[in-house]
Amino acid sequence: MKLILFLFSAFLISFHIQAQVYTISGIVMNGDENKTFPGVTVILESLLDSAMIKGTVTDLKGVFILNDIAPGDYNLKVSFIGYKEIYKAASVKTENVQMDIFTLVETATDLSEVMVLGRRAVSEQRGDTTQFNADAFKTMNDASAQNLVQKMPGITIEDGNIQAQGENVVQILVDGKPFFGTDVKAALQNLPAEAIQSIQVFDRLSDKAQLSGFDDGEQEKTINIVTKANYRKGMFGKTSVGYGTDGRYMFGTSMNTFNGDQRITVTGLSNNINAMDFSGDPNSQGETRTQDGIINTNSFGINFSDQWGEKIEVSASYLYNKRKNIGLASLVRDFVLPESEGQLYSEENQDIQSTNDHRFDLRMDYQIDSNNRILFRPRVSAQLGTENSGFVGRTITANGLLNQTENMLIGKESDFDITNRLMYSRKFAKKGRSLTVGINTGNHQNDDDATREAINTFFTPIEREEILNQNIIRNRKGFSWEADISFTEPFGKNGMVEIEYEIGNRLDDSDRLIFDLFEEDITATYRILDTALSNTFNSKNLSQEVEIGYQYSKEKLKVQVEAEFQHVQLNNVQEFPKSFVLERNFTAVLPTFRLDYQFTPSNKLEFDIDTYTRTPSVGDLQAVIDNSNPLQLRTGNPELDQSYNKRFQLRYRANNSDTDRSFFAFIQSSIEDNRFTNSSFIAQEQMELEDGIILEKGSQLSRPINLDGYQDFRSYLSYGLPIDFIKSNFNLNGGVDYTKRPGMINDEINFVNSTRFRGGFSLSSNVSDKLDFNFSTRSSYNLVSNSIQPTLNNNYLNQSTRLSLNWILWKGIVYRMDINHQLNTGLAEGFDTSFLLMNLSIGKKVFRNERGEISLNVYDLFGQNNNIRRNITETYIEDRQSNVLQRYVMLTFTFNLRKFSNDASADYYEEMHN
């Protein structure tokens, strides 16, 4: 460590250059509401030829800083969609320049003198941020933020997740402040589209990277919703209630109270129609992806954000969910065996699960002064659940039925997690010099208590029956902590270096106790510990990391290189049934490289190379037999090594605000050494494992092992443009994915190769607020092959097509239609390959300003709804089908509340509707 510090200091002393460059900074205000203005573009131009010198975007507090500016005379251009541009002269001489406040006001057009032909700009690219103008997308007056963002190029819903530019959105901000933590759906479905001025999509840096200015690669795809000034003071929301056939019901409400910086949102939902979040759409399917089972949900949520004084920003959210799911499912697994006949496993199961889930998030940002800042982020979650499940599983070969299990389980579980993140950052007088200190802690506890009864039948070599009656108790406790400190220092004219040290420890204690139950008589039962299936195990994982990095930034180019030395000490101790201690030491060198190149303000290329490691979890390390399914036993492996992953990413964004055409390309590839994968052994004859545990013929024992050879490649392209003659937006997307998964079955290594070609397009209307439609289709063609059993190579197609239509026909009469068609080919025999889900409703707007609506809705008109999916693993291909909600009719009443301050009251709402 001393040698590294010495070389680092010598490097700084030898090459440090004091450059004569300065900064230009300032604040941008919104003239309509006298508030700071985030997301505004600020461009520094040459006074001689108006050439762009440097550009930036104001932060969440409306502040901009242009660094590394040479002495000279310049023009500053400040602009935002829908606002009048501002130009100011800036002269840099011998010191940093602090500009006067810029105040933007909305542009106004005198329609009596000028006729405007054309359309509003849909979007523009501002460095890393893609900003969409909400007014350029027409929605119904009662649409949610989710209805709005789905119309925007590059934003889709895949498997129930909101995706932007091919990646899952993990956080929603409203005017720069967190909204409902990381619950993206709750955030989008509880804001009305009419309240939104613009949508910003960007990769949000981690808190540490924002404080230090050094990118640590931990980015999150984020959407920031900028609200209209008229909606920042007042109350607005939506309430829906409905009742239908077969006892189907729904009640949901979302109420927002905004008063400048103080925002309070309260939501509630109770239903048995599989809706997981409140939408308020009378024709909502609940979720884009069909939910397994029949779900009854009762939930409550509250989100709060405020500015306390001038220095403290706080946001908090609490969510409570009580759910009951009644599920029925069937599956078929085709195992990849070296033998030509192969082996099938089929299962029919039923499951009743009830959960009570509590989640609390808090974020407190304390700006002590301009140079010192403290960030505190605690999170608490608690889940209590019960389960009553049963399944019948069978193993089949070409020669007939090998074995069967009839299995029932009744149990309860509890999970508690508390995490805390505390960070302190200091910026010194010397520009670029900073210190960041952080500490993370985590407490985790999980307790299970269940009773299992099973009748297991084995048909070869002779038929025999085994009966299990067990009490299963699992207790897992974990505590983790991590401390880190980083220091940055300017280096040369355009550079900065960082040195960082991290140390952390994770302590896990896991007990699994299996008791055999015996009845003395009808009223008394005693139990005996099964030592062969029980285990007491703890693990300690101490890691230390030293990192040094260099960042170069000049005008259009930003380059960052880092090298990290990592040492991990793993200490596994088993106390029961056999005592042993296993110590492991891992070392790794982890280089990273990042390059950003800004061709123009609207065209940017990003290239990243990352390396990282993963250490095994306590569940993977715990070597105890799990016989939850006696036909498919599982155990851990205390000798697992850490894995090593190498990944590269390439992103390119282009946006033409003149033509409203946008293009996005994303490529990612990774290679993983020592990957955690499965080793499965399927017994060809009856055999004894250990301590009297028998693996019957046809039964399977799986455990995790390390194997090389994992490869993954993903690509995504998106191209969007307006189609003016039908007043709609068109978006084309596609990509190619490839995955090579190593696995071991019966001591032979198998590689499962899967290639997916996917493509689709969407067409969303911009006709008017009286007619709204969205048509989309996407297809994926999949090629699956494996190295040891080519007869199981398989190609299959998935296609999903959806049309949603909302139309106000005449005098407040509303017609809604939602059609979802799914096509699957190449699945196992007996699985339905396609279905058509059609929802219809007819409604009437009521009350002043049409704030209410009464509607009659039909869900799944043809009764065809189902849920089928294919899962591919290292050792088998699985097709699964689950029960789903089917046809019902419901009468619904929906009411929209709008109450604003004097300058944005019902008059504004009425003007908007008329």
Side-chain angles (χ1 to χ4, degrees), residues 514-565:
I514 306 296
F515 295 92
D516 292 321
L517 301 180
F518 299 92
E519 292 186 0
E520 289 184 344
D521 53 46
I522 298 177
T523 60
T525 301
Y526 68 94
R527 63 182 189 175
I528 298 177
L529 182 66
D530 190 332
T531 58
L533 300 175
S534 301
N535 178 279
T536 299
F537 185 86
N538 63 70
S539 174
K540 298 179 181 179
N541 186 330
L542 177 65
S543 64
Q544 299 186 73
E545 299 171 359
V546 177
E547 181 180 293
I548 186 170
Y550 171 74
Q551 183 185 97
Y552 175 86
S553 179
K554 183 179 181 182
E555 297 179 358
K556 299 180 178 181
L557 177 67
K558 180 179 178 181
V559 178
Q560 181 175 304
V561 292
E562 296 172 279
E564 177 183 299
F565 176 78

Side-chain angles (χ1 to χ4, degrees), residues 682-795:
I682 298 178
Q684 303 305 305
E685 300 294 338
Q686 185 187 83
M687 60 183 297
E688 182 175 347
L689 297 177
E690 57 182 28
D691 298 326
I693 298 177
I694 302 298
L695 186 66
E696 300 288 346
K697 181 178 181 180
S699 296
Q700 173 184 327
L701 174 67
S702 298
R703 71 186 188 109
I705 60 171
N706 296 109
L707 284 179
D708 294 333
Y710 176 85
Q711 298 177 18
D712 179 74
F713 173 85
R714 292 198 305 121
S715 64
Y716 177 81
L717 303 174
S718 173
Y719 178 69
L721 74 160
I723 302 180
D724 292 333
F725 73 94
I726 56 173
K727 295 183 179 180
S728 299
N729 296 309
F730 179 78
N731 187 68
L732 182 68
N733 60 75
V736 178
D737 301 338
Y738 169 77
T739 305
K740 181 180 182 181
R741 299 178 179 88
M744 181 176 287
I745 188 162
N746 284 21
D747 298 324
E748 286 196 42
I749 295 178
N750 180 57
F751 288 97
V752 176
N753 302 280
S754 58
T755 304
R756 181 170 68 153
F757 302 92
R758 52 195 171 100
F761 69 88
S762 64
L763 185 68
S764 58
S765 70
N766 254 354
V767 178
S768 73
D769 57 2
K770 305 295 184 183
L771 176 63
D772 183 19
F773 69 83
N774 196 324
F775 176 79
S776 65
T777 184
R778 63 179 187 271
S779 303
S780 67
Y781 187 71
N782 304 265
L783 306 142
V784 181
S785 65
N786 65 87
S787 59
I788 66 173
Q789 183 57 286
T791 58
L792 289 182
N793 294 351
N794 179 256
N795 302 337

Side-chain angles (χ1 to χ4, degrees), residues 34 73 85 138 195 244 431 466 547 577 687 740 781 871 885:
N34 197 29
D73 294 323
E85 293 180 348
K138 298 294 185 182
K431 181 183 176 300
E466 174 188 74
E547 181 180 293
M687 60 183 297
K740 181 180 182 181
Y781 187 71
N871 301 313
L885 184 67

Side-chain angles (χ1 to χ4, degrees), residues 371-643:
N371 294 321
N372 295 277
R373 180 182 175 190
I374 294 176
L375 183 64
F376 179 49
R377 296 189 64 181
R379 291 181 177 178
V380 180
S381 68
Q383 186 178 81
L384 304 175
T386 62
E387 178 181 357
N388 188 338
S389 63
F391 69 90
V392 177
R394 298 180 178 89
T395 304
I396 307 166
T397 68
N399 296 322
L401 185 64
L402 283 181
N403 48 46
Q404 174 180 290
T405 180
E406 299 177 48
N407 209 299
M408 297 291 296
L409 180 138
I410 298 175
K412 60 182 180 180
E413 64 175 1
S414 61
D415 290 281
F416 299 94
D417 295 280
I418 302 174
T419 61
N420 292 281
R421 175 65 167 164
L422 180 65
M423 298 182 67
Y424 167 75
S425 174
R426 175 173 175 79
K427 295 181 180 179
F428 295 90
K430 186 176 183 180
K431 181 183 176 300
R433 179 182 293 174
S434 69
L435 176 70
T436 304
V437 181
I439 184 167
N440 295 332
T441 61
N443 287 276
H444 317 280
Q445 182 169 337
N446 173 257
D447 297 307
D448 301 341
D449 191 341
T451 301
R452 179 182 299 279
E453 297 180 2
I455 301 175
N456 308 315
T457 307
F458 306 97
F459 297 96
T460 60
I462 59 174
E463 184 173 337
R464 70 181 187 87
E465 189 175 83
E466 174 188 74
I467 297 177
L468 295 180
N469 190 4
Q470 298 175 328
N471 179 209
I472 305 166
I473 298 176
R474 296 186 182 94
N475 302 113
R476 292 181 288 275
K477 298 178 181 178
F479 174 75
S480 61
W481 63 267
E482 180 185 80
D484 58 83
I485 181 170
S486 66
F487 179 76
T488 64
E489 178 74 12
F491 178 71
K493 184 178 180 181
N494 301 296
M496 179 170 62
V497 293
E498 180 195 46
I499 187 165
E500 181 179 2
Y501 174 69
E502 293 183 8
I503 182 171
N505 201 357
R506 190 184 78 199
L507 301 94
D508 293 303
D509 191 352
S510 180
D511 298 340
R512 174 183 165 88
L513 304 176
I514 306 296
F515 295 92
D516 292 321
L517 301 180
F518 299 92
E519 292 186 0
E520 289 184 344
D521 53 46
I522 298 177
T523 60
T525 301
Y526 68 94
R527 63 182 189 175
I528 298 177
L529 182 66
D530 190 332
T531 58
L533 300 175
S534 301
N535 178 279
T536 299
F537 185 86
N538 63 70
S539 174
K540 298 179 181 179
N541 186 330
L542 177 65
S543 64
Q544 299 186 73
E545 299 171 359
V546 177
E547 181 180 293
I548 186 170
Y550 171 74
Q551 183 185 97
Y552 175 86
S553 179
K554 183 179 181 182
E555 297 179 358
K556 299 180 178 181
L557 177 67
K558 180 179 178 181
V559 178
Q560 181 175 304
V561 292
E562 296 172 279
E564 177 183 299
F565 176 78
Q566 181 188 78
H567 179 265
V568 178
Q569 182 179 351
L570 191 63
N571 189 342
N572 298 329
V573 179
Q574 179 174 288
E575 300 173 356
F576 178 83
K578 297 177 182 178
S579 297
F580 75 84
V581 177
L582 180 63
E583 293 186 355
R584 312 292 301 279
N585 289 276
F586 309 113
T587 59
V589 177
L590 305 172
T592 62
F593 173 79
R594 311 188 201 289
L595 181 147
D596 295 353
Y597 189 78
Q598 189 87 41
F599 295 97
T600 68
S602 60
N603 294 64
K604 185 176 182 181
L605 178 72
E606 300 173 5
F607 177 68
D608 295 347
I609 298 177
D610 294 294
T611 54
Y612 58 91
T613 60
R614 289 194 305 138
T615 53
S617 68
V618 65
D620 291 330
L621 295 169
Q622 195 171 6
V624 57
I625 299 292
D626 181 353
N627 71 337
S628 301
N629 183 345
L631 308 187
Q632 297 185 349
L633 306 180
R634 185 165 183 83
T635 185
N637 180 4
E639 297 186 358
L640 282 176
D641 288 337
Q642 70 174 1
S643 66

Side-chain angles (χ1 to χ4, degrees), residues 196-355:
I196 299 173
Q197 176 173 289
S198 61
I199 297 288
Q200 298 172 341
V201 180
F202 62 98
D203 293 314
R204 185 177 185 272
L205 299 177
S206 68
D207 293 325
K208 176 180 172 297
Q210 292 182 58
L211 293 174
S212 68
F214 227 83
D215 189 356
D216 58 5
E218 297 181 9
Q219 299 177 343
E220 296 179 336
K221 187 65 70 177
T222 302
I223 288 178
N224 180 41
I225 298 174
V226 181
T227 59
K228 294 176 180 177
N230 312 73
Y231 281 80
R232 295 179 187 175
K233 190 172 184 179
M235 294 181 62
F236 56 94
K238 178 182 291 186
T239 298
S240 293
V241 59
Y243 188 78
T245 58
D246 301 322
R248 300 296 168 199
Y249 70 91
M250 186 277 293
F251 169 78
T253 186
S254 172
M255 292 297 163
N256 302 272
T257 302
F258 282 17
N259 186 10
D261 290 322
Q262 187 181 89
R263 315 284 180 86
I264 301 175
T265 298
V266 178
T267 66
L269 175 67
S270 179
N271 77 96
N272 62 358
I273 58 172
N274 284 29
M276 311 296 282
D277 300 288
F278 174 58
S279 169
D281 178 359
N283 202 41
S284 173
Q285 295 181 4
E287 297 289 316
T288 301
R289 176 175 177 174
T290 304
Q291 298 296 305
D292 294 348
I294 307 300
I295 306 172
N296 186 312
T297 297
N298 295 280
S299 66
F300 170 81
I302 183 169
N303 188 86
F304 171 82
S305 63
D306 199 3
Q307 178 84 32
W308 292 350
E310 297 181 355
K311 297 183 177 182
I312 298 178
E313 285 187 5
V314 62
S315 62
S317 65
Y318 168 74
L319 287 172
Y320 168 72
N321 277 299
K322 181 179 181 181
R323 289 198 176 112
K324 182 178 181 179
N325 189 332
I326 302 175
L328 301 172
S330 60
L331 63 86
V332 173
R333 292 174 184 167
D334 202 340
F335 286 92
V336 182
L337 281 169
E339 293 76 18
S340 59
E341 71 271 11
Q343 182 168 302
L344 292 176
Y345 172 77
S346 66
E347 186 177 289
E348 303 287 334
N349 62 65
Q350 59 182 12
D351 190 6
I352 301 175
Q353 291 192 1
S354 298
T355 60

